[in-house]
Amino acid sequence: MSAANAIRKLEDYEEVGLIGYPCDGDYIAVVGDHEDWLLGGELCGFNGAIIAEQAAALPRYYPRGCRLVLATIRKDWVVAIRSYDDTQANERPELPS
């Protein structure tokens, strides 16, 4: 996450693209290739799905160069964006209830 976007308010279009928002928590999401703007995503553990299942189910129509991330949302703020490492796809992480 770039310094300019370290902690910032969610844009309106980002709120619309996040399934499960306005819940606080971690979202598996897609970001653009140059900026860390959320192009869509889903609250981790939504409907009981594990992160790897959610990552596999995300639409594949995003522009080239986009990548999967874990975005932490608190209220209407993006507080962290971490790269999603697909080498962890077979692990079943514990998600907060």
Side-chain angles (χ1 to χ4, degrees):
M1 188 168 194
S2 65
N5 296 328
I7 295 179
R8 63 173 177 81
K9 271 184 110 55
L10 278 168
E11 298 290 332
D12 290 343
Y13 73 88
E14 291 176 308
E15 292 178 6
V16 170
L18 292 177
I19 298 170
Y21 184 81
C23 291
D24 288 353
D26 290 324
Y27 288 75
I28 183 84
V30 175
V31 294
D33 58 347
H34 296 296
E35 296 288 337
D36 285 331
W37 301 109
L38 305 174
L39 303 178
E42 188 171 296
L43 181 65
C44 290
F46 195 66
N47 292 332
I50 65 168
I51 293 174
E53 292 167 340
Q54 291 173 263
L58 282 173
R60 301 293 182 222
Y61 55 82
Y62 295 105
R64 291 182 119 180
C66 293
R67 66 191 191 285
L68 288 176
V69 297
L70 290 172
T72 302
I73 308 297
R74 296 285 182 262
K75 303 220 184 263
D76 55 352
W77 290 82
V78 178
V79 296
I81 293 181
R82 298 171 306 284
S83 292
Y84 174 81
D85 182 356
D86 61 1
T87 61
Q88 300 171 355
N90 293 327
E91 296 178 12
R92 298 181 70 89
E94 292 296 322
L95 297 173
S97 54

